[in-house]
Amino acid sequence: EAGVAQSPRYKIIEKRQSVAFWCNPISGHATLYWYQQILGQGPKLLIQFQNNGVVDDSQLPKDRFSAERLKGVDSTLKIQPAKLEDSAVYLCASSLSPEGYEQYFGPGTRLTVT
Amino acid sequence: QQQVKQSPQSLIVQKGGISIINCAYENTAFDYFPWYQQFPGKGPALLIAIRPDVSEKKEGRFTISFNKSAKQFSLHIMDSQPGDSATYFCAASPGGFKTIFGAGTRLFVKA
């Protein structure tokens, strides 16, 4: 079974630029998550989708971050404009259960904002 | 109330020893407590999880102990091996939604 795929793996941008990350969850997994992991910290949930609907986005900085999951499969997370404090690893995870048990994580995208 | 406090921040254990990592929570609505293992450059991987209706769960060398009254849970790694060297995260969620992660424990197992 293929795991959660993410791209790109690394991205370096200057502050105020925009960036987009892509995630392809495990086939059949209805629930998809985006997490932000700052160096030395645990992952922080940004947004949770159930199929293509948003379940929770309470910690998503909506003035600069946006996410979509078209057709209930792939998802894209965008940052526009980026700030220095957005430097982090952005992790995508998926889960078979609607409740989010047993989350499977992708390798992440390491973003550096200079 | 939404925090999950994890300790220690780092841990060094001799090969064959027992590694113990502790977590505490306050939100009594939490009902799912997973532990994740993360190697450098990789995403976290689910190791073992427990629900509050049991006090202990064991899978191979990994055991979760759960104390509902104290709102604490811990991970025990028996017969620790150098390959167990990684960062471990506890987490908690109310029904699987809005998972909250601890800050992580960096484990180093000396050969």
Side-chain angles (χ1 to χ4, degrees):
Chain A
E1 180 182 72
V4 175
Q6 290 188 246
S7 68
R9 291 296 315 276
Y10 306 92
K11 190 75 177 179
I12 301 174
I13 61 172
E14 295 182 352
K15 60 184 178 182
R16 291 187 290 273
Q17 287 187 324
S18 63
V19 64
F21 313 126
W22 172 82
C23 172
N24 180 242
I26 293 173
S27 178
H29 282 197
T31 312
L32 184 146
Y33 315 78
W34 283 102
Y35 288 88
Q36 179 192 58
Q37 185 175 25
I38 293 172
L39 186 65
Q41 298 182 18
K44 171 188 166 185
L45 180 66
L46 293 176
I47 188 167
Q48 178 175 340
F49 291 95
Q50 177 67 27
N51 294 310
N52 57 343
V54 176
V55 173
D56 178 66
D57 63 357
S58 58
Q59 298 192 100
L60 186 73
K62 298 181 187 63
D63 58 333
R64 299 185 300 106
F65 286 64
S66 64
E68 60 181 8
R69 190 183 185 195
L70 300 176
K71 301 180 182 178
V73 182
D74 292 6
S75 178
T76 303
L77 177 69
K78 296 179 181 178
I79 307 175
Q80 180 180 11
K83 292 185 175 182
L84 295 177
E85 58 261 37
D86 298 332
S87 294
V89 175
Y90 290 85
L91 295 162
C92 178
S94 69
S95 173
L96 182 62
S97 72
E99 297 84 1
Y101 303 124
E102 295 190 22
Q103 297 181 31
Y104 294 85
F105 283 81
T109 297
R110 181 176 296 277
L111 173 67
T112 302
V113 183
T114 62
Chain B
Q1 198 178 23
Q2 289 295 330
Q3 277 188 317
V4 176
K5 296 182 179 179
Q6 184 172 347
S7 63
Q9 195 171 21
S10 61
L11 183 61
I12 300 174
V13 175
Q14 292 285 350
K15 178 182 175 181
I18 302 174
S19 303
I20 302 174
I21 304 170
N22 302 298
C23 283
Y25 65 97
E26 294 185 0
N27 189 345
T28 55
F30 289 152
D31 66 353
Y32 178 67
F33 303 89
W35 284 89
Y36 286 85
Q37 179 189 56
Q38 186 175 30
F39 292 104
K42 306 289 186 182
L46 180 65
L47 201 56
I48 187 172
I50 198 168
R51 304 286 181 101
D53 53 345
V54 296
S55 60
E56 186 176 280
K57 182 175 181 180
K58 183 176 181 179
E59 289 184 4
R61 295 185 294 110
F62 301 92
T63 300
I64 298 179
S65 297
F66 187 84
N67 186 329
K68 188 174 181 178
S69 60
K71 290 186 278 188
Q72 295 175 346
F73 59 110
S74 60
L75 175 70
H76 291 64
I77 306 174
M78 312 299 286
D79 187 26
S80 298
Q81 299 297 312
D84 296 330
S85 297
T87 299
Y88 292 80
F89 294 97
C90 62
S93 70
F97 294 101
K98 302 185 73 168
T99 302
I100 308 295
F101 281 79
T105 296
R106 295 184 67 176
L107 171 66
F108 180 69
V109 181
K110 295 172 66 174

